[in-house]
Amino acid sequence: MFLFSRRNFLAVAVCSCFLSAAPQAAIALDEAEARELVMGVAGDVIALVQSDVPIESKRSELKRLMSATADMTAIGRFAIGRPWNEMSDTQKDAYLSAFTDYVAKIYTSRFSDYKGETLEFAGSRSGKKDLYVLTNFARSGQQPLEVSWRVREIGGAPKILDIEAEGISLLVSLKNEMSGLLSQNNNSVDKVIEVLKTKA
Amino acid sequence: MKLQSIGRATAALFVAATLSACATTEAVDGVYDPYQPLNRDFHEFNKGLDTVVVRPVSSVYGDVTPGLVRLLIGNALSHLELPRDFANNVFMGKWEPAGSTLARFAVNTIVGAGGLLDPATDFEIEKQDADFGMTLAHYGAGEGAYWELPFLGPGTTRSHWGRFVDFAFAPTTYIGAPISGYTVLGLNTVEFRDTNENAVDSVLYESADSYTTARSLFLQNRRAQLGEADDGEEVEIIAE
């Protein structure tokens, strides 16, 4: 099965550059700060997937990294979509906790194929509210993988909101998956939380 | 053969549904998936096929094949795609990529031991992917519906037709063993499956809804490849 093809991220990145010149003033974030955050996290993720610790420790370490550097509340809220507004605080907490565990689990596996990669900074561009930090992962025997990290200043600190590579956005993927789960479970948030718990 | 009849039934269904799909209904979430119940059955079939055949075979292939041999196989598979890349770049009137595909073919055939080595990349003559699905898109054909077909996996009406045409016109389809079209298809599959072992395992067996995940990954990647991703406008995220 051919889920992905290798190239083509560049074209998307280049096109978006033309759209991003004007609204720079809205971004409070310092580019150097965002760059430091992203390079730090990316380096930690590479070191993590290449380390020899058991998979459970990798998952909990990735979860710690995600909670410290990404806004998991904003990501989880975006992923579940409209039902968020009708959820009770207890439901929101239960959902965010199950969601974060689940994301840490699946992405520990999905990042594990990236072996022996080296990382370099490849520039940045501005969106409406956010800064996109671009990185290149050099891979042996393949074209380098270009990854874009969406960063916003939230509560006085830069936080990661999305990671995109080869046209695939983590945020969009999680939103698609949550809306698939909702429709498979009669739009019951409680059932979705249950499924996430059993899968995490 | 049971598998063959599944294949035939699928093909018949696909053709029938394609021809009747001209009257389109609204897409949900940017995804037009009117045959979802059927697709989900095919997805379960493909997942079973992965569990029983593709995954174990790829894993053994990965374990027993020396790195150097895999490098050569990877180069050869990429080389065998060049006629497709060339033809479709020409169809789209993309003359520079077509020319560099021709140059790549010549260099790797002559200097690169018939395509087993890849000196062209060292000369910065990069591969310029083009397939018939892209050509169809180039001339304004719409994406159509999302289809997960048995054996073939995720695609759209347009991309599956494109693959069918590319396969029908590939030189390898008409050469006998050991490099027939089916051998190439099989090798591409196990190469991809083993290289992305953990990611594919995660999508198929760890996802809360593997069907939706596969669909989302395929459509995002393919649309970005075709420049059809609607990301000119960034998605709005609320954070406080």
Side-chain angles (χ1 to χ4, degrees), chain B residues 96 136 172:
Chain B
E96 272 186 41
L136 291 173
T172 45

Side-chain angles (χ1 to χ4, degrees), chain A residues 1-5 7-8 12 16 19 59 71 74 77-78 102 105-106 109-110 112-113 115 127-130 132 142-143 150 152 154 161 164 166-169 171-173 175-177 179-181 184 195-196 199, chain B residues 29 36 40 46 50 126-127 129 148 151-154 163 185 188-189 192 195-200 202-209 212-214 216-218 220-221 224-225 231-240:
Chain A
M1 271 164 274
F2 307 94
L3 293 182
F4 314 90
S5 75
R7 283 146 276 262
N8 313 306
V12 179
S16 345
L19 300 162
R59 283 177 192 149
D71 188 334
R77 176 180 177 170
F78 178 82
Y102 173 69
K105 182 183 178 185
I106 58 174
S109 313
R110 286 184 206 171
S112 312
D113 294 313
K115 290 198 174 101
K128 270 191 213 133
K129 290 183 187 160
D130 306 322
Y132 294 79
Q142 282 182 67
Q143 303 263 1
R150 182 174 181 172
R152 183 186 298 179
I154 298 163
L161 286 177
E164 190 189 312
E166 311 203 20
I168 295 172
S169 142
L171 202 62
V172 172
S173 308
K175 188 179 181 57
N176 289 159
E177 197 170 351
S179 63
L181 270 185
Q184 289 292 104
V195 174
L196 288 177
K199 285 286 182 174
Chain B
D29 239 3
Q36 187 167 157
R40 281 191 182 269
N46 285 335
D50 182 79
E126 312 239 317
K127 193 162 183 297
D129 285 326
E148 179 165 341
F151 301 101
L152 298 174
R163 282 184 71 179
L185 205 62
N188 265 318
T189 304
F192 176 86
T195 308
N196 302 287
E197 186 186 7
N198 293 303
V200 179
S202 164
V203 169
L204 289 181
Y205 304 109
E206 287 182 353
S207 295
D209 182 354
T212 309
T213 304
S216 166
L217 297 179
F218 174 83
Q220 287 186 69
N221 177 254
Q225 187 185 22
D231 65 351
E233 199 62 32
E234 61 183 1
V235 282
E236 193 69 40
I237 310 167
I238 304 164
E240 58 230 355

Side-chain angles (χ1 to χ4, degrees), chain A residues 68-142:
Chain A
T69 60
D71 188 334
M72 291 310 293
T73 308
I75 295 171
R77 176 180 177 170
F78 178 82
I80 197 85
R82 209 167 292 160
W84 178 266
N85 298 323
E86 282 106 56
M87 283 159 70
S88 70
D89 287 349
T90 329
Q91 274 180 318
K92 284 178 184 170
D93 287 346
Y95 162 71
L96 286 175
S97 147
F99 176 78
T100 308
D101 285 342
Y102 173 69
V103 174
K105 182 183 178 185
I106 58 174
Y107 280 91
T108 302
S109 313
R110 286 184 206 171
F111 292 146
S112 312
D113 294 313
Y114 301 136
K115 290 198 174 101
E117 331 236 322
T118 52
L119 175 73
E120 86 192 9
F121 173 72
S124 68
R125 62 176 188 84
S126 318
K128 270 191 213 133
K129 290 183 187 160
D130 306 322
L131 206 65
Y132 294 79
V133 177
L134 309 175
T135 57
N136 270 339
F137 287 82
R139 301 177 289 184
S140 55
Q142 282 182 67

